[in-house]
Amino acid sequence: GRRHLATSGLLADIETRHTDVMMECITAIGAGLRGPDERRWWQELQTRMPDLRAIIQRSIDAQDPAPGCRIIAELVEFAFVGILPEISEWATNIAAIPGADNDPRYAAVVATAGYGAVNAVDIDRMNNWFDTQVNITPNVSFAAKSALDNFHAAAHIMSGQFVEASEKYRLIAAEAARLGDQRLAAFYRGSVAFQLGLAHQHDRAEPHAREALALAERCGHPSTLVWCHFQLGLVLHPNDPILGGDDAGTGTDEAERHFEACLKTAESAAPSAFVDSAATRLALLRARRGETNGVGELCRSATERSLRGSADLYYWTLLMAVGAVFEAVGMHDAALRLAGAIEHSPIADRAVVGLSL
């Protein structure tokens, strides 16, 4: 067994070979997740998670940050959408290893740990990561640097500075476009639209949302298409539970088409909170015009996942959209029970100053 291998001196060699193989594997998975065959590579990632957990633990035990930094840098974007919060925990532990700050992927590690704090609405921890010094040298990749900039923008969002955050996202999107990275240019242009929507500047948001979708269609990356269809649908969605406002878009039919496209594209994408959000908005549009057939099914996945993940900001806000659907179809008791779940969520008593929930 393992004890025999350790005493014979073979265990270290086996673990080294295992790490080497998995470093090649995670590089392939990261590239695959950013390509058109994303769903297959997501499934491959699920298969490899036990191996990755083992390597992260060995990195911590050996106080060797390099393997952990490499894994986190390949998966950083999945911490941003709240799907793999475990990655944020990995990043927190890897960042604590002496010398981690010398790794060129350290920016991605800090971003991932910081975004975990954002998702949990842990303001003190978020501020600590925001204040962490990261040396941006020429060998730091744009992907790692943009991940850090994304986290810094998110910190502005948490203090209600939506226009300021939109400007940060605009700069990241412009740099991505300059470098020829249409996927990231589309993602961050969509983020500009979302922040302007939160600031109730829907007229300014719509051109950014349309440009983001055009970029996403050119690059063909499934999750990016999901995100950009969702953003444009939100901007066009009247009286949205999150963006809301009387000045919101009035393109109900077009908004519905984009939410439907979001769900269809999701079949080839990695899972994300945005898919559940699109399904809920689609249900709300239909409920508001008096259609009830299928509305419950559209909300089912969102409700179940939201209640399980209610300590995550994405899903906590999504519960509010589900509650709006329940109200629209006259399920007032269900809406009240959901309001109770929102109120008693682990993050409900943490101040989110200025956030229009």
Side-chain angles (χ1 to χ4, degrees):
R2 184 180 178 86
R3 182 177 298 177
H4 173 72
L5 289 172
T7 56
S8 66
L10 295 174
L11 182 60
D13 185 49
I14 291 171
E15 289 181 340
T16 298
R17 290 203 302 271
H18 177 244
T19 297
D20 291 343
V21 169
M22 286 308 302
M23 290 301 97
E24 294 180 7
C25 185
I26 193 60
T27 300
I29 288 173
L33 287 170
R34 293 185 286 273
D37 201 10
E38 181 186 5
R39 173 69 72 158
R40 181 174 74 82
W41 286 100
W42 170 263
Q43 292 165 346
E44 177 68 14
L45 173 62
Q46 304 314 298
T47 301
R48 298 296 184 180
M49 283 297 283
D51 295 284
L52 298 179
R53 291 185 185 106
I55 292 170
I56 291 291
Q57 190 58 55
R58 288 204 296 267
S59 283
I60 296 168
D61 293 343
Q63 293 290 277
D64 176 12
C69 287
R70 186 167 173 182
I71 290 170
I72 291 161
E74 293 292 350
L75 301 178
V76 59
E77 292 168 52
F78 293 96
F80 287 170
V81 295
I83 295 301
L84 289 180
E86 183 178 4
I87 298 171
S88 296
E89 296 176 16
W90 293 354
T92 299
N93 291 323
I94 294 298
I97 298 175
D101 55 344
N102 294 322
D103 192 288
R105 301 174 186 88
Y106 184 63
V109 174
V110 170
T112 305
Y115 225 96
V118 170
N119 285 349
V121 199
D122 189 333
I123 304 301
D124 289 341
R125 187 157 57 95
M126 181 193 76
N127 288 335
N128 286 338
W129 287 116
F130 188 87
D131 293 336
T132 299
Q133 294 298 311
V134 179
N135 187 22
I136 303 297
T137 61
N139 62 340
V140 175
S141 70
F142 174 70
K145 182 180 182 300
S146 65
L148 185 64
D149 289 340
N150 189 2
F151 160 57
H152 286 168
H156 281 285
I157 297 165
M158 299 303 287
S159 59
Q161 298 175 307
F162 305 127
V163 175
E164 291 83 351
S166 76
E167 179 60 18
K168 282 187 173 291
Y169 286 132
R170 188 191 65 79
L171 293 173
I172 304 171
E175 180 64 7
R178 187 186 71 79
L179 295 172
D181 191 329
Q182 289 187 331
R183 183 183 64 86
L184 286 179
F187 177 82
Y188 286 115
R189 186 65 68 178
S191 299
V192 173
F194 185 57
Q195 297 313 310
L196 291 173
L198 284 173
H200 303 303
Q201 296 187 16
H202 296 84
D203 289 345
R204 289 184 62 199
E206 186 176 337
H208 289 288
R210 292 192 183 280
E211 182 181 348
L213 180 57
L215 287 167
E217 288 173 338
R218 287 200 289 273
C219 80
H221 181 245
S223 277
T224 305
L225 278 165
V226 165
W227 168 244
C228 292
H229 275 298
F230 176 59
Q231 293 309 316
L232 184 50
L234 276 185
V235 169
L236 297 168
H237 184 200
N239 299 310
D240 185 82
I242 305 302
L243 269 59
D246 294 336
D247 60 337
T250 57
T252 301
D253 291 343
E254 188 181 358
E256 186 167 353
R257 289 197 297 274
H258 286 295
F259 292 141
E260 288 172 342
C262 185
L263 299 188
K264 184 172 179 55
T265 307
E267 296 171 5
S268 57
S272 83
F274 312 126
V275 177
D276 287 329
S277 291
T280 305
R281 270 33 178 235
L282 193 56
L284 185 54
L285 280 168
R286 293 175 181 174
R288 282 175 172 170
R289 64 171 181 250
E291 297 179 17
T292 56
N293 288 340
V295 166
E297 191 58 37
L298 280 168
C299 289
R300 188 182 310 282
S301 172
T303 305
E304 291 174 352
R305 259 197 284 244
S306 295
L307 290 171
R308 288 199 304 270
S310 61
D312 181 304
L313 181 61
Y314 285 102
Y315 283 107
W316 189 68
T317 57
L318 182 51
L319 282 175
M320 299 182 183
V322 175
V325 176
F326 288 171
E327 285 287 358
V329 297
M331 297 171 59
H332 303 300
D333 289 344
L336 283 173
R337 288 197 299 272
L338 203 57
I342 293 169
E343 182 180 355
H344 294 99
S345 164
I347 69 171
D349 59 348
R350 300 175 191 165
V352 189
V353 181
L355 198 57
S356 301
L357 298 178

